Amino acid sequence: MVRVPTEKRYEEHIERELNSLLDDGLQFHSKVHQRDDSWYDKNLCVVGDEFIEFLKETQKETYDKLHKKYGENTDKNILSRLNKEIDSKGLIHVLRKGFNDVHGGNIKTLYFQSNSTLNEKYRKDKYLKNKFLLVRQLHYSIKNENSIDMGLFLNGIPIVTMELKNQLTGQNIKHAENQYRYDRSPKEKLFNFERCLVHFGVDNDNVSMTTKLSGPKTRFLPYNKGIPNPDTGGYKSEYLWKEIITPGSLADIVENFAHVSEEEEKIFNKESQKIEIKKSKVLILGMAF
């Protein structure tokens, strides 16, 4: 029987590849799977159970202090606070600096790898307790049943979304980009600016990326290793899941390669007959290879 190429098979391939990499024992506590949507809070844009479990395992004293104050509402209050902090200060700030609760002090959201060989205990007890989650067909909307091909989370916080196109089905990276432009509303929480680090369009040969969805005006940049990408004997875009979206690499990108800047655009106002300056924030994501 001939196996018909589909996007689903492409998803399955990436899942298998990531699982094989995660089996090396050097990555975070990791889960690569599908499940129903009851666990994902579409309003707060977080996998609450993952974050709370991470908090209990890495900052038990902090969690215990908060539990004494909030009781059965502890988890709800923590996740609500996390949501508000990301909304007000941005994802990069909260991932790097954590956030504060008046009753518990600073709450870390992600631990980075120590560069010191003298601090191996930190690496084992903190860094490796970060949690990585890959979800296929993530239903993200409170308005409809739309889903994204893949979502990647660190400690329950969304970091990456991906739209995949298998060229053997007649679609390519441009179809993935247009899916983001026309079918993924930036009004959805997951697609708000700085609620997710980056959105990738991926086909068998190429990768493109954007850090800001703006409907039809969304701009994608190439995220390739070469022009064209080198032939590896497999998918030419396989460096993405072998080098970039692994747990350790994502943490490294957050710590060292992501930067929020402010851009100015000059626009001529016909009514006032004056040139006005429009300011907007952009998230710049450097290459990690």
Side-chain angles (χ1 to χ4, degrees), residues 15 29 35 44 56 71 74 76 104 123 126 133 148 153-154 159 163 165 174-175 183 213 219 227 229 268-269 277:
E15 180 181 331
H29 291 185
R35 50 181 177 170
L44 297 181
K56 288 179 178 179
T74 302
K76 180 181 178 181
R123 183 174 185 272
K126 300 295 185 181
L133 173 66
I148 199 85
F153 298 78
L154 291 180
I159 305 296
E163 287 289 2
K165 297 301 173 188
K174 294 302 179 184
H175 293 90
D183 299 333
L213 293 187
R219 292 182 294 175
I227 307 174
N229 275 326
F268 181 72
N269 188 319
I277 296 177

Side-chain angles (χ1 to χ4, degrees), residues 153-250:
F153 298 78
L154 291 180
N155 301 327
I157 300 170
I159 305 296
V160 172
T161 73
M162 297 165 60
E163 287 289 2
L164 309 176
K165 297 301 173 188
N166 190 331
Q167 283 154 282
L168 296 177
T169 66
Q171 293 195 317
N172 57 35
I173 195 169
K174 294 302 179 184
H175 293 90
E177 293 174 0
N178 283 334
Q179 198 164 7
Y180 275 116
R181 288 188 179 103
Y182 301 107
D183 299 333
R184 306 292 175 238
S185 171
K187 293 182 180 179
E188 296 279 4
K189 189 83 167 179
L190 181 62
F191 301 126
N192 289 175
F193 179 64
E194 263 211 279
R195 288 305 308 219
C196 186
L197 185 68
V198 61
H199 309 285
F200 286 118
V202 187
D203 66 20
N204 308 130
D205 297 332
N206 299 288
V207 178
S208 63
M209 57 149 283
T210 185
T211 58
K212 189 174 186 178
L213 293 187
S214 305
K217 296 181 179 180
T218 301
R219 292 182 294 175
F220 280 86
L221 297 174
Y223 202 78
N224 296 320
K225 295 188 76 171
I227 307 174
N229 275 326
D231 192 348
T232 61
Y235 292 114
K236 290 184 179 180
S237 54
E238 65 182 15
Y239 60 88
L240 181 66
W241 53 88
K242 288 187 174 182
E243 301 176 31
I244 304 301
I245 62 172
T246 62
S249 178
L250 287 180

